[in-house]
Structures are given as C-alpha cells and as structure tokens.
Amino acid sequence: MLKRTSPILFAVIAFIVGLNLRPILASVGPLFSVLQREAGLTATQFSLLTTLPVAMMGLAALCGPWLLARVGAVRGIMIGLFILLVACLLRGLSASLVSLMGTALLGGASIGTIQALMPALIKKEYSQTASTVMSLFSTGIMAGAAVAAASAEPLFSWLTLKPALAMAGLLALLALMLWLTLVTRSQSENTARETVTLSSSRTGLLLLFFGVGTGAYTLVLAWLPPLYIQAGWSARSSGYMLAWLTLTEVVAGFVVSALIGKFPDRRAPLITVLLLLLAGLLCLVFAPGTTPVLSTLLLGTGIGALFPLSLIVTFDHARTPAQAGKLLSKVQGGGYMIAALMPLIAGIVRDSAVSLTSAWLVMSAGVILLIVIALKFKPVGEAQVR
C-alpha cells in the first residue's frame, strides 16, 4: 500500500508525521495556570493530561503487532493521523475536565498507534537507511513539542483557550494529506508473522531502559514550565524556555541522526548523554529555577539524544520488519506505561504541598540505573538473539 518513494522524500514526510506526536502533550505545560483557572484543574488532574495519553500510547503500542497484521502499517498510520485530528478539533469545542481527559485518551491512542507502526514500515521499506530515517522521525517528534510549547501561550492570548488547544489540528491535517499521497491501492501489504526471538531478559532491559528514559522526557515536558512559573516567570516565558529546551533536543536528535553510523557500539554515546541528563536534573535539584540556561542545555541535549538512541538500540535487535514491529511494540508498550507514572507522581507531590525536588531526585536515581543498564548493551550478536 506504499507507493515507491525516495528515502529522502519519505524521511521528510515521516518527520512531518512526527511533528504531530507531542503537541497534544506539550501545549498544556505552559498553560498550567490557565487550566487551573478556567478548567478548575488540580495539580494531580493537570498531570493526568500527560499521564493519560502516555499510558494510552503504551496500550496502543502493545496492540502494534495485531494492527500490523490486520490493518497494515500504511493504513494504520493514516487512521492514527485522522483520529489525532479529531482529538485536536474536539478540544476546540470544549475545555471541560471530561473533554480534556477524553481527548487526552483519544490522542494518546492515536499517537501510540503511529509510533508502533512507523518503525516496522521503515524497517521494511528503507532497511539500508533505517537508522537515519528513524532518527529523523523521532527528531520530528521532539520538534513538534518545541513548536507546541513556544506557541501555546501566544495562541491563548490571541485566540483564547479552546481555539489555542485546537490549533494542533492544522498540523495533523497537513500530515494526513501528505500521508495520503503515499497510499496506493495497487499493492497490498504482506507482513510476515514472526515471533520475536530475543531473550526475555534482554527485552526486559530494553523495555526498562526506554520507559525510564522516556519518563525523564514526560516529567520535564509536564512540570518544567510550572516550575518556572512558581519561580516567578510568566507563562509565556516558561513556554519559551520549554521550547528552547525542546529545540536543544531537536539539535541533539539531528546530531544522533548524522553520527550514529559511526558508533556500532552504542554504549559510548548512551553513557555520554545519560551523564548530561543527570547533570541537568541535578541543576533542578540544587538550583531550581535559577540556572535556566545551563539546565536547558543539559536536559535538552540529554533527553534529545536519549530518545532516538533508545529506539535505535531497540531497532538494532530486530532482524526483520516483523520483528521490528513486534519488539518495538513490546518495548514502547511497557515503556510508556512506566513513563506515564512520573508526571502523575509529580502532580501528587505538588498537591501534597511538597517541593518538586523529590520528583527530580527520583528521576536522577532512574538515570543512574540507566547508566548501569547501558553498559550491558554490547553490539548485537548471535549470543544476544536466541
């Protein structure tokens, strides 16, 4: 069902699709005070606007093999983009608690579907450039977060809350229209039914690594703007700071795309970016809200490089497109379930009138765990795949 497309053109379209996979999450952080005032959200309820879609992303990812076999990657991504468009438009109709939670669930399910199916499609159609295309796709995800964070408060000031939340639908519509140009009825997808032959212990390590690493991303995405607002920043300034952090992530993602081929042993880049991430988290622990430039550079570089590296390391363990889809669905499914807990824990901490420092400390301990796990990721060989 995929027309013959040059790798460059497909990479561009995949990047644009990726742009759509975070605005529904990233746009709420800078609007924390607005959502508290206009929707009456508590900190815990606010955290659910990140926790619910991330959890649904995990559930949808677990359904990836079933979707791949029954619907196919190309058609499934098309359906996911359509559902995401609907979720964005529904936020333009109502910003009540029920509506916000419902669209968070709907958006998360569509995002998880796309994220589960895209790797299998890349592995199948562009196996020679799979790592680069996958890096660009994941970099597009982070770029979308940057655009959403920077534009959230200005759009609210210009359009009010509901239209501002719905504006992400324009980007979803563009991606859907571009994706439709790839679809053809002249072919049918033939997805082999294969089992993932990776050992369960290795799969568990990959799942835990992706989950804890993504937990750092979701925690920062949801709670960094409120941290700066609490420190006396305006909502717009806090949104810009999150956007700069996310742009740093984008640059780091592009660097990974350009250089990853030079590192068949992924451990050196993994440990480097984890140390940068740990340093950024410690800035938030010991100097919350007072070292914005340093913490932004450290967190942005660490998270931005870690996200595509986590996917690539998982990707390395798959020998075929079917294995790529099934393995990534397991890793992302369980991983996003873990990642969904961090914003929720931070929200509960905030409602308990306890400093967010404890959440940053827990995440710092998680990064130390990731460093230990990363040391086990030797280049994939026959000994690891049974």
Side-chain angles (χ1 to χ4, degrees):
M1 291 187 63
L2 185 68
K3 293 180 180 178
R4 290 189 176 276
T5 308
S6 72
I8 294 176
L9 178 59
F10 181 81
V12 170
I13 295 177
F15 179 84
I16 293 172
V17 171
L19 288 174
N20 286 272
L21 305 188
R22 290 300 179 270
I24 203 166
L25 286 79
S27 61
V28 298
L31 299 178
F32 174 61
S33 300
V34 176
L35 290 166
Q36 278 192 313
R37 183 177 64 252
E38 297 196 12
L41 300 186
T42 65
T44 301
Q45 290 170 337
F46 170 79
S47 71
L48 288 173
L49 296 181
T50 302
T51 291
L52 289 177
V54 173
M56 287 302 297
M57 285 155 60
L59 286 174
L62 290 173
C63 296
W66 183 88
L67 290 168
L68 198 59
R70 301 299 192 280
V71 181
V74 176
R75 193 183 308 142
I77 292 169
M78 179 179 65
I79 294 170
L81 286 169
F82 177 76
I83 294 173
L84 183 58
L85 172 61
V86 171
C88 293
L89 295 180
L90 286 175
R91 284 196 168 179
L93 299 176
S94 173
S96 66
L97 175 62
V98 173
S99 175
L100 288 171
M101 298 303 171
T103 51
L105 290 168
L106 194 63
S110 61
I111 292 167
T113 298
I114 295 168
Q115 290 181 163
L117 297 177
M118 185 67 82
L121 184 63
I122 293 172
K123 190 80 170 180
K124 176 183 177 183
E125 301 291 341
Y126 302 97
S127 58
Q128 298 301 313
T129 56
S131 293
T132 299
V133 177
M134 193 66 192
S135 294
L136 288 171
F137 171 63
S138 58
T139 301
I141 294 175
M142 293 179 287
V147 172
S151 62
E153 201 283 332
L155 284 173
F156 164 72
S157 298
W158 179 37
L159 299 171
T160 70
L161 181 60
K162 290 186 289 185
L165 293 175
M167 286 298 289
L170 293 178
L171 192 57
L173 179 61
L174 171 63
L176 180 59
M177 292 174 63
L178 288 173
W179 194 256
L180 287 172
T181 66
L182 296 179
V183 179
T184 175
R185 291 189 175 87
S186 62
Q187 300 175 2
S188 61
E189 292 182 87
N190 181 21
T191 303
R193 300 194 175 198
E194 300 179 34
T195 59
V196 176
T197 56
L198 199 63
S199 66
S200 58
S201 61
R202 175 63 51 155
T203 302
L205 282 178
L206 291 168
L207 187 157
L208 183 62
F209 191 86
F210 181 82
V212 176
T214 306
Y217 174 73
T218 57
L219 178 63
V220 169
L221 191 67
W223 284 105
L224 193 65
L227 173 71
Y228 286 122
I229 291 172
Q230 186 178 5
W233 293 41
S234 68
R236 180 170 298 194
S237 296
S238 71
Y240 287 156
M241 184 54 64
L242 180 59
W244 280 114
L245 184 145
T246 312
L247 284 173
T248 306
E249 294 174 0
V250 172
V251 173
F254 277 123
V255 171
V256 169
S257 301
L259 300 180
I260 191 60
K262 300 181 183 295
F263 295 94
D265 187 339
R266 315 296 194 194
R267 288 175 295 179
L270 277 173
I271 293 172
T272 300
V273 301
L274 286 169
L275 289 173
L276 292 173
L277 174 56
L278 179 60
L281 289 168
L282 292 178
C283 283
L284 298 182
V285 171
F286 295 108
T290 60
T291 56
V293 176
L294 179 61
S295 59
T296 293
L297 289 174
L298 291 171
L299 290 170
T301 304
I303 294 172
L306 181 60
F307 182 64
L309 279 171
S310 298
L311 293 176
I312 290 168
V313 167
T314 304
F315 216 53
D316 287 342
H317 289 79
R319 296 184 179 277
T320 67
Q323 284 187 1
K326 291 184 178 182
L327 180 58
L328 276 161
S329 75
K330 286 184 178 181
V331 169
Q332 290 188 101
Y336 279 123
M337 294 293 188
I338 296 172
L341 295 175
M342 286 309 301
L344 180 59
I345 291 170
I348 294 172
V349 166
R350 178 67 181 269
D351 275 337
S352 302
V354 178
S355 170
L356 282 172
T357 299
S358 56
W360 308 126
L361 280 171
V362 170
M363 195 66 253
S364 298
V367 173
I368 294 173
L369 174 63
L370 293 185
I371 293 173
V372 175
I373 295 175
L375 292 171
K376 299 180 179 294
F377 289 151
K378 298 178 182 179
V380 177
E382 293 298 327
Q384 293 173 321
V385 181
R386 299 182 177 90

